[in-house]
């Protein structure tokens, strides 16, 4: 059999480097950007294992499940970890970060998730970055969910390791990801005897064999289809304009929040303050007596294309997530998602106002 995706000419090192350059422009960064050949967990783990070790004292901010994962990796590296747990319905503040430094002056590494799609919150990275810079700590940021949905500016914010993935707001592939690396982060890796080497997790391998070599010879055969898909999604963002893409996501979030509150029936935003709510996804708390998983299952049975999911783990029965990102950051996706939730709640006897929800969506969308 033949297929247009088969028998493609090999992806050249020059083409690979040009895609990295476009990702760097998307981030507005002059740092080295490395595209890694795997889902974003690859650079997320590689960056921690490359820079953390027994001499590291890490402040790990936990505003959702990924923060918990980062703490586990840091401990596995031998780092001393100070967890800063924040209720999942809110965001961490720069004042809390400053207090942690005052209590633990030895902190030299800060790990933070920008936006937690799983819980629907987003953290004020610009303000936090100022505090981290004041104390000279290395700043590690998971911007996988936020890139494309809201500004991500590693240079302006003093982020040393900024990891992104294309599968959410960028509307691209999940099989490749990228990380921007500051000179300070490269130096920390070079001085870390436990940093992975000759390993798929190794960022230093990419630096020495790819970046320092002038980006002329790839480490291994690239994931060609995923790289081409990444190039296509960046091109699409460039065509629409990054500001327009982020504005579309912000409007989708505002519409989903307003529509959910107008829908009634006891449905409420999971993240209490709108300022703390992530543009990538809106999380909703179901009314007492309702089961979020059952509500989502009913809505998806009626329309399998709805961008809905129940919360994970302990939140599976209380939270619904409206994933209005990428191609679903549209009024139709928000409106149909709320209609599906409303119909499922109404079918279980909860009083809802579908027309009111639709009016609120239209008003928010402008």
């Amino acid at each position: 059999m033949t297929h247009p995706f088969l028998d493609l000419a090999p992806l050249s090192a020059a083409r690979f480097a040009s895609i990295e350059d476009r990702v760097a422009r998307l981030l507005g960064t002059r740092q080295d950007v490395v595209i890694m050949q795997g889902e974003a967990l690859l650079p997320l783990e590689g960056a921690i294992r490359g820079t953390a070790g027994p001499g590291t004292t890490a402040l790990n901010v936990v505003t959702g499940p990924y923060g918990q994962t980062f703490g586990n990796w840091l401990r596995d590296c031998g780092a001393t970890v100070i967890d800063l747990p924040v209720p999942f319905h809110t965001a961490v503040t720069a004042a809390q970060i400053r207090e942690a430094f005052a209590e633990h002056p030895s902190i030299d590494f800060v790990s933070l998730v920008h936006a937690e799609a799983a819980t629907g919150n987003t953290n004020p990275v610009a303000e936090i970055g100022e505090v981290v810079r004041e104390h000279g700590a290395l700043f590690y940021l998971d911007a996988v969910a936020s890139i494309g949905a809201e500004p991500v500016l590693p240079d302006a914010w003093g982020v040393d390791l900024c990891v992104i993935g294309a599968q959410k707001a960028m509307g691209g592939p999940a099989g490749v990801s990228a990380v921007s690396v500051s000179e300070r982060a490269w130096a920390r890796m070079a001085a870390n005897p436990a940093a992975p080497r000759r390993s798929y997790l190794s960022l230093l391998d990419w630096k020495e064999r790819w970046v320092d070599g002038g980006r002329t010879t790839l480490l291994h055969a690239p994931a060609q289809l995923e790289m081409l898909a990444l190039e296509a999604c960046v091109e699409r963002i460039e065509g629409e304009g990054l500001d327009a893409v982020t504005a579309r996501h912000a409007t989708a979030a505002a519409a989903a929040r307003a529509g959910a509150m107008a829908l009634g029936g006891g449905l409420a935003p999971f993240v209490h303050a709108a300022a703390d709510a992530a543009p990538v996804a809106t999380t909703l708390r179901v009314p007492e007596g309702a089961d979020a998983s059952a509500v989502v299952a009913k809505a998806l049975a009626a329309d399998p294309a709805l961008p809905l999911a129940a919360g994970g783990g302990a939140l599976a029965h209380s939270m619904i997530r409206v994933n209005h990102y990428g191609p679903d950051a549209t009024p139709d996706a928000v409106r149909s998602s709320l209609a599906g939730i409303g119909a499922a709640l109404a079918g279980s006897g909860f009083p809802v106002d579908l027309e009111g929800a639709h009016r609120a969506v239209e008003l928010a969308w402008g």
Side-chain angles (χ1 to χ4, degrees):
M1 294 180 66
T2 61
H3 191 280
F5 287 161
L6 300 177
D7 301 322
L8 295 173
L11 189 73
S12 68
R15 182 79 170 274
F16 193 104
S18 73
I19 300 171
E20 284 185 335
D21 290 340
R22 293 175 85 164
V23 171
R25 288 195 294 271
L26 188 70
L27 290 168
T29 184
R30 300 181 68 180
Q31 297 177 1
D32 291 323
V33 169
V34 176
I35 296 178
M36 300 194 76
Q37 304 297 280
E39 197 271 338
L41 282 173
L42 174 62
L44 285 169
E45 183 174 359
I48 282 180
R49 294 195 181 278
T51 52
T56 302
T57 300
L59 174 63
N60 180 51
V61 183
V62 182
T63 57
Y66 280 99
Q68 295 168 333
T69 297
F70 300 159
N72 292 337
W73 286 340
L74 286 161
R75 290 182 178 88
D76 191 54
C77 291
T80 299
V81 181
I82 299 151
D83 283 324
L84 176 55
V86 179
F88 290 177
H89 63 261
T90 186
V92 71
T93 66
Q96 288 173 294
I97 302 296
R98 194 180 299 280
E99 289 169 7
F101 273 110
E103 188 174 350
H104 305 278
S106 60
I107 292 169
D108 61 358
F109 184 99
V110 175
S111 52
L112 175 71
V113 178
H114 187 184
E116 287 269 12
T119 49
N121 54 21
T122 191
N123 293 300
V125 182
E127 291 87 346
I128 291 168
E130 291 182 11
V131 178
V132 176
R133 277 198 303 272
E134 289 173 11
H135 293 82
L138 206 71
F139 193 10
Y140 163 101
L141 183 70
D142 171 356
V144 174
S146 54
I147 182 67
E150 55 188 305
V152 176
L153 302 167
D155 290 11
W157 296 342
V159 177
D160 295 288
L161 295 155
C162 182
V163 177
I164 66 169
Q167 68 267 33
K168 287 189 168 63
M170 288 178 66
V176 288
S177 48
V179 54
S180 66
V181 188
S182 73
E183 289 299 324
R184 292 198 324 145
W186 284 131
R188 181 79 70 97
M189 288 183 217
N192 181 8
R197 303 304 304 271
R198 294 168 295 282
S199 163
Y200 210 58
L201 285 171
S202 177
L203 283 168
L204 279 176
D205 287 356
W206 279 96
K207 176 170 173 52
E208 294 179 1
R209 296 171 57 191
W210 172 246
V211 177
D212 291 349
R215 299 192 298 178
T216 58
T217 304
L218 288 161
L219 274 65
H220 46 71
Q224 175 147 313
L225 295 181
E226 287 80 2
M227 288 296 295
L228 294 176
L230 176 61
E231 182 182 49
C233 91
V234 172
E235 182 175 345
R236 185 172 57 194
I237 291 170
E238 291 170 345
E240 183 178 351
L242 181 58
D243 289 346
V245 174
T246 56
R248 179 161 52 82
H249 282 82
T251 305
R257 189 177 184 89
M261 290 190 289
L263 184 64
L267 195 68
F270 181 83
V271 177
H272 294 182
D276 296 338
V280 69
T282 295
T283 48
L284 304 170
R285 190 178 298 279
V286 296
E288 187 175 351
D291 183 282
S293 294
V295 170
V296 169
K298 288 180 181 178
L300 292 178
D303 184 355
L306 294 177
L308 296 176
L315 298 172
H317 300 295
S318 60
M319 177 200 283
I320 295 173
R321 192 170 74 238
V322 183
N323 294 315
H324 44 65
Y325 54 70
D328 287 319
T330 65
D332 285 345
V334 172
R335 188 167 44 243
S336 60
S337 294
L338 293 173
I341 294 169
L345 288 173
S348 297
F350 292 92
V352 297
D353 182 0
L354 291 174
E355 290 300 320
H358 289 164
R359 286 193 300 271
V361 169
E362 296 305 319
L363 182 63
W365 209 273

